Amino acid sequence: MLAKINSCALVGVDAVLVEVEVDVSPGQPQTTLVGLPDASVRESKERVWAAIRNSGLRFPSEKKLTVNLAPADLRKEGPSYDLPVALGLLAASGQIDPDVLSGTLVIGELSLDGSIRHVRGVISAAQLARSLGLERLFVPAVDAPEASLIPDIDIIPVDHLISLVEHLLQLDVIPPFDRSSLPEDAALPDYLTDFADIRGQEHAKRALEVAAAGSHNVLMTGPPGSGKTLLARALPGILPALTLDEALEVTRIYSVADMLGDTPLIRYRPFRAPHHTVSNAGLVGGGSIPRPGEISLAHRGVLFLDELPEFGRDLEVLRQPLEDRVVTISRASGALVFPCNFVLVGAMNPCPCGYHGDPITACSCAPGMIARYQQRISGPLLDRIDIHIDVPRVDFDKLSAARRNEPTISIRERVQAARDRQTERFRGIPALANADMGSGDVQKFVPLDTDGSALMRSAMQQMQLSARAYHRVLKLSRTIADLDSSDTVRSYHLAEALQYRARLAN
């Protein structure tokens, strides 16, 4: 007897349909699993056998068992096929009616006692099931809150194989997951720092406000202890709140990477700060079975690269993602695309000892050492960074001042107002923020008056700006105008944008 169960495989951050076909027929007792399975899938035979027997059900060990995971040319990995294979064996051996599994999609890992464990990528599976028009999704009970984020499909939480069989036999029906039980909010992430607690560095705070308002990349240069890391950790707090669509995008990436933890929906913009020893695959994604890297985990949030020159030539892999907002991982079997629309914040010392140009501590580096250190970051990569700022040491008077600085919530209100203007401006086109504009959008939305054109002409000649830098200055000036609630980009908006390009003129 043949039974067919719908399941899925993860390809990048998307789920694709996998049909689990199980045939139980007379012949020499053996179990054959085909369909390009990896080691963890091949081991499912032992888990399924033990789970069925320990649940008080009958495993058809006296028959010839054939399990096919179709399509056969798609590599299958992970333990999420345990539950559909078990249900297929029970249906093909006549213990449950195969028809009750029509219109459903099933995923789950089995323990030897029949209990059902967590699997990754549940939200992608739910999106697939809805797109296919399926009615139900059977998932591990611990993953039901995550799956329930996708509407218009019944999520059936299952904690044990025998309870699912009783549900299918109408002996003890499992009610669909109650979406109203989802938590309304989540605790604030521990990386958030209030701008009110940062003393001095007013020009750096202004630059980060501009960066947050338009999703622009930032590079901070300054001596050790000047507050670069503190400023970077404060940036996510002034970014606009995630929309529901953005939150689902981020949650799906973390689900595929199996990093959600107890949080069904990520409500706050991510902040990722990988160490400079991270590998290329760890930074941009990849591996034998490609997984999201740090730049995808920072999607819709902030990627903070401290001690930027220490990353060395590995930084060159960021060129394409910074332009396209996606990263393409190519393998012999095909190419996978991971989203990576993030704000890059880099921090570096001006020299190996950290005190080049410092008015108090003398620099101990030779000129050649300083040049080699700064050249570790290539010109093309620096060209992709919109805002370059110096972060000098903070003096005693500012550190000891009793006056409280402007809090994060006030800055976020201005940033949100600027983003609202951009949302209205870009209605009907893919761009979400000014940094996302293409060259055609720049020409349309950043027209220059006579004074502005003259200023840009002079800047192009004196600062030797590339075509990319020219467009990035215009995008930045559009953001500054939005913060100023101006529909027109004035020459003083351009002047502020140009002073953030000073690092490239050295």
Side-chain angles (χ1 to χ4, degrees):
M1 185 175 179
L2 177 65
K4 296 183 179 181
I5 313 292
N6 292 323
S7 189
C8 65
L10 293 175
V11 180
V13 295
D14 298 316
V16 297
L17 181 65
V18 171
E19 192 171 56
V20 179
E21 301 176 319
V22 181
D23 180 67
V24 177
S25 58
Q28 183 178 358
Q30 63 176 355
T31 302
T32 304
L33 181 59
V34 297
L36 207 59
D38 74 348
S40 62
V41 180
R42 290 193 295 269
E43 291 171 353
S44 68
K45 295 186 291 184
E46 305 303 324
R47 292 192 296 270
V48 169
W49 177 85
I52 291 178
R53 294 290 296 271
N54 291 329
S55 299
L57 302 167
R58 179 175 58 86
F59 186 87
S61 56
E62 73 284 358
K63 302 286 189 179
K64 179 182 179 181
L65 311 179
T66 305
V67 180
N68 179 43
L69 306 178
D73 60 347
L74 176 65
R75 184 174 179 82
K76 320 300 187 307
E77 59 95 11
S80 61
Y81 303 102
D82 291 0
L83 187 56
V85 169
L87 291 180
L89 284 170
L90 295 175
S93 60
Q95 299 177 67
I96 60 176
D97 184 0
D99 293 338
V100 300
L101 292 167
S102 63
T104 67
L105 191 141
V106 184
I107 56 173
E109 176 187 350
L110 285 171
S111 296
L112 299 186
D113 63 356
S115 59
I116 300 175
R117 297 176 179 270
H118 152 80
V119 293
R120 64 187 183 91
V122 170
I123 192 171
S124 297
Q127 289 178 319
L128 172 67
R130 185 182 66 173
S131 68
L132 295 175
L134 301 179
E135 301 172 0
R136 293 173 298 280
L137 173 63
F138 292 122
V139 299
V142 295
D143 295 324
E146 177 189 340
S148 67
L149 297 172
I150 305 302
D152 304 326
I153 184 171
D154 287 338
I155 305 301
I156 310 299
V158 185
D159 57 10
H160 200 282
L161 178 60
I162 191 62
S163 64
L164 178 53
V165 172
E166 291 174 347
H167 169 82
L168 296 174
L169 294 175
Q170 298 292 307
L171 299 177
D172 188 6
V173 175
I174 304 172
F177 182 81
D178 182 9
R179 288 178 167 85
S180 65
S181 64
L182 288 173
E184 291 297 324
D185 208 344
L188 287 172
D190 57 8
Y191 56 74
L192 291 184
T193 300
D194 198 304
F195 271 79
D197 298 327
I198 303 176
R199 304 296 182 179
Q201 308 296 10
E202 301 304 327
H203 71 294
K205 294 177 185 178
R206 167 62 179 178
L208 291 181
E209 179 181 342
V210 174
S215 192
H216 300 285
N217 302 319
V218 183
L219 175 60
M220 297 182 287
T221 305
S226 58
K228 301 184 294 297
T229 300
L230 194 65
L231 287 162
R233 290 186 175 276
L235 178 58
I238 64 173
L239 289 172
L242 284 172
T243 65
L244 179 58
D245 288 341
E246 289 175 332
L248 288 174
E249 286 180 22
V250 176
T251 302
R252 184 170 65 156
I253 294 170
Y254 276 73
S255 176
V256 168
D258 204 8
M259 296 176 61
L260 272 183
D262 298 329
T263 305
L265 178 66
I266 295 179
R267 293 178 169 86
Y268 297 98
R269 294 188 181 271
F271 178 87
R272 303 295 299 179
H275 192 260
H276 61 76
T277 57
V278 66
S279 66
N280 281 351
L283 185 60
V284 303
S288 57
I289 299 173
R291 299 286 180 89
E294 290 290 342
I295 63 174
S296 293
L297 295 173
H299 183 61
R300 302 298 182 194
V302 175
L303 177 68
F304 176 48
L305 301 182
D306 199 6
E307 305 298 341
L308 195 64
E310 301 299 332
F311 287 82
R313 306 307 297 179
D314 292 343
L315 287 174
E316 300 308 304
V317 299
L318 293 180
R319 288 195 196 180
Q320 180 253 340
L322 286 173
E323 287 292 322
D324 300 338
R325 306 293 183 174
V326 296
V327 58
T328 303
I329 308 297
S330 298
R331 293 291 182 269
S333 58
L336 301 180
V337 177
F338 293 106
C340 58
N341 192 344
F342 58 90
V343 175
L344 172 65
V345 179
M348 62 178 288
N349 297 326
C351 65
C353 78
Y355 295 103
H356 176 63
D358 188 80
I360 297 177
T361 304
C363 175
S364 60
C365 304
M369 293 173 59
I370 297 174
R372 286 191 298 271
Y373 182 78
Q374 295 181 350
Q375 288 170 2
R376 291 182 185 180
I377 308 174
S378 69
L381 183 63
L382 289 173
D383 212 23
R384 289 167 167 81
I385 297 177
D386 303 339
I387 299 176
H388 299 253
I389 52 174
D390 291 324
V391 184
R393 68 167 66 237
V394 183
D395 59 32
F396 173 79
D397 291 338
K398 291 181 179 179
L399 285 174
S400 60
R403 182 178 63 87
R404 185 171 172 82
N405 298 309
E406 185 178 21
T408 287
I409 189 170
S410 299
I411 303 175
R412 185 168 61 237
E413 289 174 355
R414 295 197 296 270
V415 170
Q416 185 66 61
R419 284 289 186 102
D420 290 342
R421 296 175 68 89
Q422 294 166 48
T423 300
E424 183 63 29
R425 179 184 305 125
F426 300 140
R427 194 176 300 278
I429 65 176
L432 296 176
N434 287 330
D436 299 330
M437 287 192 291
S439 57
D441 298 326
V442 172
Q443 294 180 358
K444 178 179 179 181
F445 296 119
V446 196
L448 298 180
D449 56 18
T450 303
D451 292 340
S453 296
L455 179 60
M456 284 304 298
R457 180 185 297 276
S458 176
M460 287 285 289
Q461 295 173 349
Q462 296 182 25
M463 302 175 67
Q464 300 179 352
L465 298 180
S466 67
R468 179 187 292 112
Y470 168 78
H471 284 104
R472 287 186 175 274
V473 168
L474 294 183
K475 294 176 188 180
L476 195 59
S477 64
R478 178 68 268 175
T479 299
I480 295 169
D482 288 336
L483 284 170
D484 197 29
S485 300
S486 173
D487 293 329
T488 305
V489 175
R490 305 294 185 184
S491 57
Y492 55 87
H493 299 141
L494 280 169
E496 182 178 353
L498 284 167
Q499 61 100 8
Y500 293 129
R501 302 298 301 188
R503 175 66 177 80
L504 295 179
N506 295 338

